[in-house]
Amino acid sequence: MYMTEWFMCLYSRTLQWSCLLLILDMFFSEGVKVLFRVGFAILQLTMGKPAQRTQLPDLMDTTQMLRKIPEELLDETVLIPQMMEIKLRRKELERKKNAELQRRLSTTV
């Protein structure tokens, strides 16, 4: 739900301008995987470690948390280093995309 808005607007509604410019620069240089890394980094920073995620028992709690992301987590000095720790490989993204497409095709037939 939020990832769609983040992707559609390229994070322009969420991030501070200075951080957004850095991410757009990386996006134009490295491609779409940057958008995924930013989304994962925001989720990691906002929702914390797996033990902390158990405190969010349903979608409503998770949605509330994602609506109120603290500004300090979206600062480039916090978000960019977190994002750079996330390693995504194009082959892995392609494999996951193909698996999801196959799953959707098998459920519609």
Side-chain angles (χ1 to χ4, degrees):
M1 185 162 135
Y2 281 92
M3 294 289 276
T4 303
E5 180 181 323
W6 291 343
F7 282 0
M8 295 292 287
C9 298
L10 295 175
Y11 300 98
S12 63
R13 293 183 178 179
T14 307
L15 299 176
Q16 299 168 3
W17 185 246
S18 57
C19 187
L20 178 63
L21 291 177
L22 288 170
I23 287 170
L24 288 176
D25 186 41
M26 287 186 268
F27 169 67
F28 292 128
S29 174
E30 298 176 40
V32 73
K33 66 182 177 180
V34 170
L35 300 180
F36 285 101
R37 289 194 336 227
V38 173
F40 291 140
I42 291 172
L43 289 173
Q44 285 177 344
L45 289 168
T46 305
M47 300 178 75
K49 299 187 184 298
Q52 293 171 300
R53 291 182 206 135
T54 59
Q55 298 172 356
L56 301 169
D58 58 19
L59 181 61
M60 194 62 130
D61 292 329
T62 304
T63 302
Q64 288 298 329
M65 179 173 270
L66 291 174
R67 283 187 181 170
K68 300 175 184 173
I69 301 171
E71 285 291 319
E72 61 270 9
L73 296 181
L74 300 176
D75 185 78
E76 69 265 16
T77 61
V78 176
L79 184 61
I80 301 293
Q82 179 74 26
M83 184 194 94
M84 297 307 288
E85 288 181 15
I86 298 170
K87 303 298 180 206
L88 292 177
R89 292 179 180 79
R90 184 170 296 279
K91 285 184 181 181
E92 182 67 17
L93 290 174
E94 285 291 325
R95 190 176 63 77
K96 295 228 182 245
K97 179 190 84 170
N98 291 335
E100 181 63 23
L101 285 173
Q102 287 300 320
R103 185 187 68 77
R104 288 185 185 197
L105 288 174
S106 67
T107 58
T108 59
V109 174

